[in-house]
Amino acid sequence: MMQKAKILLVDDRPENLLALEAILSALDQTLVRASSGEEALKALLTDDFAVILLDVQMPGMDGFETAAHIKRRERTRDIPIIFLTAINHGPHHTFRGYAAGAVDYISKPFDPWVLRAKVSVFVELYMKNCQLREQAALLRLQLEGGVHPGADDREPAGLLAELSARLAAVEEQAEALSKQLDDDSADAAAVATAAHLERKLTGLRRALDALEPGTGGSAGALPSQS
């Protein structure tokens, strides 16, 4: 059973964090609080997150500076950031948010349904990526002969067939997600992330096809999963 995704909530005001938790609790994921930019960066050192909700106006390290640090780290630079702000200084302020690496910029008070829907898209993309990486790792392990004690000793052809079927299920879900994003006129960043996931799926499908008997493929044909 796949673990729950972690969502990082960053705001210096406890009442705002409580409100975010109330809105996002319906997603049934793990919500992690951070009351400052520094605390958020510490959390990102050890845990992987599906998406970050980041308040812009914070004392000390504000949201823009926090986002800049996140984007400079190789481990965290691809995590989607949604900026939350109680003020709107116009297009220049918004542009600064996108320039800092945000995928979305929402002004308070925001619509709880809209925020929950946006976060759910990134959670679903994150889960698909995790599933893809796990299946690729399993395939590498089996092809390299590193079977764990107690694992069933299936023939390579049977293993490939099972992995191919699992990959087909993920491909179908990714295609449905992409269609949903198109239908809902979603953010360009979410559409781009979905397209990136589909490219990874295509690469893994080609690698699996190359490993079929008679194709002359090898474990070295597997794409790297970053």
Side-chain angles (χ1 to χ4, degrees):
M1 184 176 180
M2 186 173 291
Q3 292 183 345
K4 294 181 179 181
K6 292 183 178 180
I7 302 170
L8 183 59
L9 313 176
V10 189
D11 199 303
D12 63 297
R13 299 174 66 89
E15 61 270 25
N16 291 342
L17 290 172
L18 188 63
L20 288 173
E21 288 176 336
I23 293 170
L24 299 175
S25 60
L27 297 180
D28 193 28
Q29 304 300 325
T30 302
L31 306 177
V32 178
R33 283 189 177 201
S35 58
S36 67
E38 292 86 353
E39 191 175 332
L41 294 176
K42 287 181 182 179
L44 289 162
L45 287 173
T46 55
D47 290 324
D48 294 324
F49 291 90
V51 61
I52 302 170
L53 274 64
L54 180 58
D55 183 42
V56 173
Q57 302 294 322
M58 294 188 295
M61 184 185 296
D62 66 12
F64 296 129
E65 187 178 354
T66 303
H69 283 289
I70 293 171
K71 293 303 177 182
R72 279 199 293 265
R73 294 178 179 176
E74 184 174 355
R75 174 188 172 94
T76 59
R77 64 187 179 191
D78 293 327
I79 302 176
I81 298 174
I82 298 177
F83 271 137
L84 304 176
T85 179
I87 60 175
N88 187 357
H89 291 303
H92 294 294
H93 191 72
T94 304
F95 175 77
R96 187 182 176 192
Y98 287 119
V103 297
D104 209 341
Y105 200 100
I106 302 178
S107 297
K108 304 174 186 176
F110 43 78
D111 186 328
W113 294 94
V114 171
L115 179 63
R116 189 159 50 239
K118 289 177 181 293
V119 171
S120 68
V121 168
F122 291 109
V123 167
E124 191 167 356
L125 289 172
Y126 174 82
M127 301 293 265
K128 296 287 191 300
N129 269 307
C130 287
Q131 188 174 2
L132 176 60
R133 285 196 298 269
E134 289 175 1
Q135 292 179 354
L138 174 62
L139 180 59
R140 285 195 184 92
L141 179 66
Q142 296 287 353
L143 293 173
E144 292 168 3
V147 182
H148 291 299
D152 49 1
D153 300 324
R154 287 167 290 183
E155 291 297 325
L159 174 65
L160 288 175
E162 180 179 336
L163 288 174
S164 180
R166 291 184 182 181
L167 178 58
V170 179
E171 289 171 330
E172 183 178 350
Q173 292 172 345
E175 182 180 357
L177 178 60
S178 295
K179 289 180 179 178
Q180 178 185 348
L181 290 173
D182 291 339
D183 292 342
D184 294 343
S185 300
D187 300 314
V191 175
T193 303
H196 179 63
L197 173 60
E198 288 194 326
R199 287 194 296 271
K200 284 189 174 184
L201 288 170
T202 300
L204 186 55
R205 170 60 66 189
R206 289 174 179 169
L208 282 174
D209 290 344
L211 290 168
E212 289 293 333
T215 61
S218 64
L222 281 171
S224 62
Q225 300 296 321
S226 56

